[in-house]
Structures are given as structure tokens and as C-alpha cells.
Amino acid sequence: MIAEDEETIVESLSFLMEKEGYDVSVATDGRTAISMIARDIPDMVLLDVMMPVCDGFEVVRAARNDPNTRQMPIMMLTAKTREVDRRKGLELGVDDFVTKPFSTRDVVSRVKALLERAEN
């Protein structure tokens, strides 16, 4: 799942993920992401920190509080580079952080690594 409100990022990540054989679902705000995750648990979530309705931190909090999604890998995509934001995400249980702007190919390789780690 990609939870991101910037259309160009959604398009490029979706294209590359689908090219790699992944099924991709998209949420463009935090509340939609929370309900989609609860309804149809994805293998992992690429999650923007700053989204409409509720932010990525709230999405992580909801996912980590649900026993069904507690172990689901979450990679945060963020324009925020402050250490306090990164620390907050890690304390909530984020598995990886990617700072914008980023290489979409780098994100794909990091997704593969997180999914492989989750399978073991």
C-alpha cells in the first residue's frame, strides 16, 4: 500500500512497484489509509508523514495498536529531516525512513529488503 497525497510520487512508485510484480493500493489521506489497512491488511505500507485528515504518525499508531497489523512493515516517506521526527517514527515502530526527494528505485529495493526480512 502507498499512503501518499502527492500524485506524482504515487504514480511513479505505483508504476515501479507494479513493474516488480507487487499489487498496489493507494490512500491519499491518513484516515483512508487507516481504514484500508484494517479492512485489507497489506504486506507493507509506504507512508507519507504529512497527509491530509490525519498524519502518518497517526496511521503508524493505529497500525501498531492493532494486533493484526502490529508486525506489518512500514516505511515512512518524509520531507521532514529533523531528528525529532525520525525518532518519533522509530519510537512508534516505523521500520525504515526515506527522505524526500528520493530515488524511486532506491525505495523499491528497500521495500524488497523489508518484505524479505518480514518473511523470515
Side-chain angles (χ1 to χ4, degrees):
M1 168 189 258
I2 299 170
E4 168 67 63
D5 63 324
E6 289 184 43
E7 188 176 330
T8 55
I9 292 174
V10 170
E11 287 176 3
S12 61
L13 284 175
S14 293
F15 174 78
L16 285 175
M17 293 297 175
E18 289 170 352
K19 188 175 172 187
E20 291 294 323
Y22 298 113
D23 292 325
V24 176
S25 59
V26 176
T28 56
D29 67 73
R31 185 175 301 137
T32 301
I34 290 170
S35 64
M36 287 176 69
I37 290 167
R39 185 179 64 240
D40 185 26
I41 301 169
D43 292 329
M44 81 165 290
V45 177
L46 294 172
L47 177 63
D48 186 17
V49 170
M50 295 169 51
M51 286 192 301
V53 186
C54 67
D55 67 18
F57 295 122
E58 289 299 317
V59 176
V60 174
R61 193 172 287 113
R64 293 304 184 234
N65 285 332
D66 182 340
N68 296 314
T69 57
R70 186 169 288 139
Q71 300 302 318
M72 175 186 65
I74 299 174
M75 179 187 302
M76 288 200 103
L77 308 172
T78 181
K80 294 183 170 195
T81 57
R82 296 182 344 189
E83 183 62 29
V84 66
D85 295 317
R86 187 177 191 91
R87 196 172 327 114
K88 180 177 180 179
L90 292 172
E91 287 171 0
L92 288 171
V94 171
D95 298 286
D96 197 3
F97 263 91
V98 178
T99 304
K100 296 176 185 179
F102 52 78
S103 157
T104 51
R105 295 196 186 283
D106 179 47
V107 171
V108 171
S109 66
R110 291 167 86 159
V111 164
K112 284 182 184 180
L114 273 177
L115 287 171
E116 286 173 8
R117 193 174 344 141
E119 289 174 3
N120 296 329

